[in-house]
Amino acid sequence: MIYASAKFRLILVAIVFVITASWVQAAVEISLQNTLRTEAVPIDLTVSTDGRSTFVLTDDGNVVVYDNQGQQTDTIKVGSHINQIEIGPSGERLFATSRQNKTVEIILLNFISPINTVGSVFKGPENAPVTIAVFSEFQ
């Protein structure tokens, strides 16, 4: 008797599951965040690991760099033989592959950022060039 009761409950749960599972639908809401305008036809892209830069490879052999607001910040000439790009895990290297040449070119990226020093204490000429090195990999 207990076995029949447990079997009936199991069948009832299975029926309820089958009926309610058909009502559940997955949905994806989408909205266009931005549109990047390029001078040439885009053929590949990659995004920096921090999400601040988007690199778009175009068919004229350039990698156009955009910030996270969609503003073009730089252009890197790589050559029209490049057909795919990928950013490295540390964000400091751009890997550019060429099927035609059977090569992978590794491009070191050095990001230059202006630093506002107005009102800061300084020693030496006010317009002296300054280089700040960031060491991101310690061994």
Side-chain angles (χ1 to χ4, degrees):
M1 183 77 165
I2 295 175
Y3 177 73
S5 175
K7 188 175 182 182
F8 175 75
R9 287 181 190 164
L10 183 60
I11 291 172
L12 185 60
V13 168
I15 290 171
V16 170
F17 178 73
V18 169
I19 292 172
T20 58
S22 64
W23 295 341
V24 178
Q25 295 180 0
V28 176
E29 291 183 17
I30 63 167
S31 61
L32 181 63
Q33 181 182 4
N34 203 344
T35 300
L36 303 177
R37 303 275 179 211
T38 59
E39 297 286 326
V41 177
I43 57 175
D44 195 19
L45 71 87
T46 187
V47 178
S48 64
T49 53
D50 62 6
R52 293 183 181 176
S53 299
T54 302
F55 300 83
V56 180
L57 174 64
T58 59
D59 68 345
D60 63 355
N62 292 323
V63 175
V64 185
V65 185
Y66 296 90
D67 63 13
N68 57 2
Q69 302 299 316
Q71 300 297 316
Q72 182 177 342
T73 60
D74 207 349
T75 300
I76 304 167
K77 294 184 184 297
V78 293
S80 59
H81 63 285
I82 299 297
N83 54 5
Q84 190 175 8
I85 56 172
E86 182 69 36
I87 194 78
S90 66
E92 297 174 352
R93 292 188 178 109
L94 183 69
F95 297 93
T97 60
S98 170
R99 286 189 184 142
Q100 173 186 339
N101 295 349
K102 299 178 185 175
T103 59
V104 176
E105 297 177 15
I106 302 170
I107 302 165
L108 185 60
L109 302 173
N110 290 312
F111 295 96
I112 300 171
S113 301
I115 299 173
N116 186 357
T117 59
V118 174
S120 299
V121 178
F122 62 90
K123 183 177 182 179
E126 184 176 341
N127 59 352
V130 176
T131 301
I132 299 174
V134 177
F135 298 96
S136 61
E137 294 182 19
F138 294 103
Q139 293 184 6

